[in-house]
Amino acid sequence: MAKAHIIGAGVSGLSAGVRLANEGFEVHVHEATQQAGGRCRSYYDGATDMVIDNGNHLLLSGNLHARSYALSIGSEHGLVGPERAQFDFVDLKAGKRWMLDLGNGRLPTWVFDKSRRVPDTGVGDYFALAPLAWAGNDALIGNTIKCEGKLYERLVQPLMLAALNVDPPDGSAGLAGAIVRETLLAGGKSCRPLIAREGLSTVLVDPALKLIREKGGTVNLGHELRQVLMAGESISMLEFGDDTIVVAPGDVVVLAVPPRSASSILPGLKTPTKFRAIVNAHFRYDPPDNMPPMMGVIGGLIEWLFAFPQRLSITISDADRLVNVPREQLARDIWRDICKAAGISDEVAEGALPPWQIVRERRATFEATPEQNAMRPGPVTEWKNLFLAGDWTDTGLPATIEGSIRSGDRAADLALQMR
């Protein structure tokens, strides 16, 4: 039986491993750290005495690779969301609340219904976004559409900031266009929000590890690849420091590690060199009754607010400015915004903080600018049995879960072509 060595147990590596295991490969996953999942994992946090996710990640019903992956590992039921593509928003400065209702159709007919659009916007505002949908990868968003007005402030800016993790005017219009084509232009049927309410590991990680093991594979944690040895056009050996694994003819290797590690293992590999931070915060506090599972927040510090059982969590993108802010001060500022957005009383907002945790990822995603996007490698390498995967590779999407899983699927498909 041919073997597949998956280097890295994030969702890109796991999706490749699952695909290959289902096609008859003996899959061996090698992860440098002591936990699988990469940036999409859950863990017990002592500060809140809860299991939390290291980041708040949202999927959409149109993320076909991610949904197919969840289906293949038997966990699609763990992705939950509303029947329709509906998104609640609050503008803290203007004191306005609204619901963006994209419906559940295949066409974006919602733009013609004032009650379903962003407040204070007209049909023409949406058609003005058309150049973004077909922009080239070398174009900037700021040079493609006008980054001003109510539609930009209340929908385009928060959507693109979350997807690209850069201030939208400086972001890649090509990557933004891919998001627009797969979401807003695809109608509500592709935009229904899906959240792993029981935790990312429960839905995206643990079932994959179980499947790989059940099919005769292994998962090796704390097993860091240090070097690869080549023989002609193929990888022949994998050196892990304390042991060496022979890669036999017919075996394949999928390198699904962060870009810095990839360039260390493969000197000369071109990868993105600039990254942006994301801040997530979690508070142990029962969400108010009838609070939506997710809410976009305009005009404040926080950008997205999630309501989980016994927990309120937030996300702030493009957060380099916050990585050195004292934790207690940052937690207090975030909590005030949460209380405003969730309708929690001023007395609670200014009182003692509930148990909290802040997760600051300094290198959360590559910088989604045209310059950095051009530095993303494809899945094929100069060695015929080695393939790359990861959200930082050239997936056609920004650094998203869908892009990550898509990269793993693509690497696996290329490996299967070697048979």
Side-chain angles (χ1 to χ4, degrees), residues 96-235:
K96 281 194 174 185
R97 296 177 183 269
W98 67 92
M99 176 186 286
L100 180 68
D101 185 358
L102 309 185
N104 52 17
R106 295 180 179 274
L107 296 174
T109 56
W110 57 272
V111 300
F112 299 103
D113 186 340
K114 181 179 180 180
S115 67
R116 296 167 61 186
R117 295 196 302 258
V118 174
D120 307 316
T121 64
V123 175
D125 297 324
Y126 296 84
F127 283 105
L129 300 178
L132 194 61
W134 316 112
N137 285 331
D138 57 345
L140 290 170
I141 294 176
N143 292 337
T144 306
I145 61 170
K146 289 185 178 181
C147 295
E148 58 185 27
K150 293 300 182 183
L151 180 61
Y152 176 77
E153 295 170 4
R154 293 177 172 176
L155 179 60
V156 178
Q157 196 271 351
L159 174 65
M160 293 307 163
L161 181 60
L164 303 180
N165 199 27
V166 298
D167 190 29
D170 301 325
S172 164
L175 293 178
I179 295 296
V180 169
R181 290 193 300 275
E182 295 191 15
T183 57
L184 297 179
L185 285 183
K189 185 176 179 63
S190 297
C191 297
R192 190 165 59 87
L194 301 171
I195 298 174
R197 287 184 62 80
E198 300 304 318
L200 291 167
S201 289
T202 299
V203 178
L204 298 179
V205 180
D206 296 341
L209 301 178
K210 182 172 183 277
L211 182 148
I212 288 169
R213 289 181 174 124
E214 287 178 344
K215 290 184 174 292
T218 62
V219 178
N220 307 284
L221 302 179
H223 207 222
E224 182 179 2
L225 180 64
R226 304 293 179 82
Q227 187 178 2
V228 295
L229 300 180
M230 297 83 169
E233 297 181 338
S234 299
I235 299 296

Side-chain angles (χ1 to χ4, degrees), residues 381-413:
T381 70
E382 58 185 287
W383 300 282
K384 64 181 183 180
N385 64 342
L386 174 64
F387 306 98
L388 301 178
D391 62 11
W392 56 273
T393 61
D394 187 10
T395 65
L397 293 174
T400 60
I401 292 179
E402 173 69 6
S404 186
I405 292 175
R406 187 178 297 184
S407 76
D409 288 346
R410 185 174 54 180
D413 288 343

Side-chain angles (χ1 to χ4, degrees), residues 293-377:
M294 182 189 72
M295 185 187 306
V297 182
I298 313 298
L301 173 63
I302 68 175
E303 293 156 4
W304 297 94
L305 172 58
F306 298 85
F308 295 99
Q310 297 185 291
R311 173 165 56 95
L312 293 170
S313 298
I314 65 92
T315 295
I316 304 171
S317 299
D318 193 19
D320 287 12
R321 69 194 186 281
L322 301 176
V323 294
N324 294 318
V325 174
R327 287 170 54 81
E328 185 84 24
Q329 175 188 331
L330 184 55
R332 173 60 67 185
D333 292 342
I334 289 172
W335 181 241
R336 290 193 184 100
D337 265 14
I338 289 176
C339 290
K340 290 178 184 177
I344 299 171
S345 70
D346 291 343
E347 182 180 356
V348 173
E350 297 302 328
L353 286 174
W356 58 273
Q357 182 61 272
I358 289 177
V359 182
R360 294 190 265 207
E361 298 178 283
R362 293 173 182 266
R363 294 167 58 89
T365 70
F366 76 92
E367 187 178 86
T369 60
E371 172 199 27
Q372 292 297 304
N373 188 42
M375 300 177 72
R376 302 166 76 185

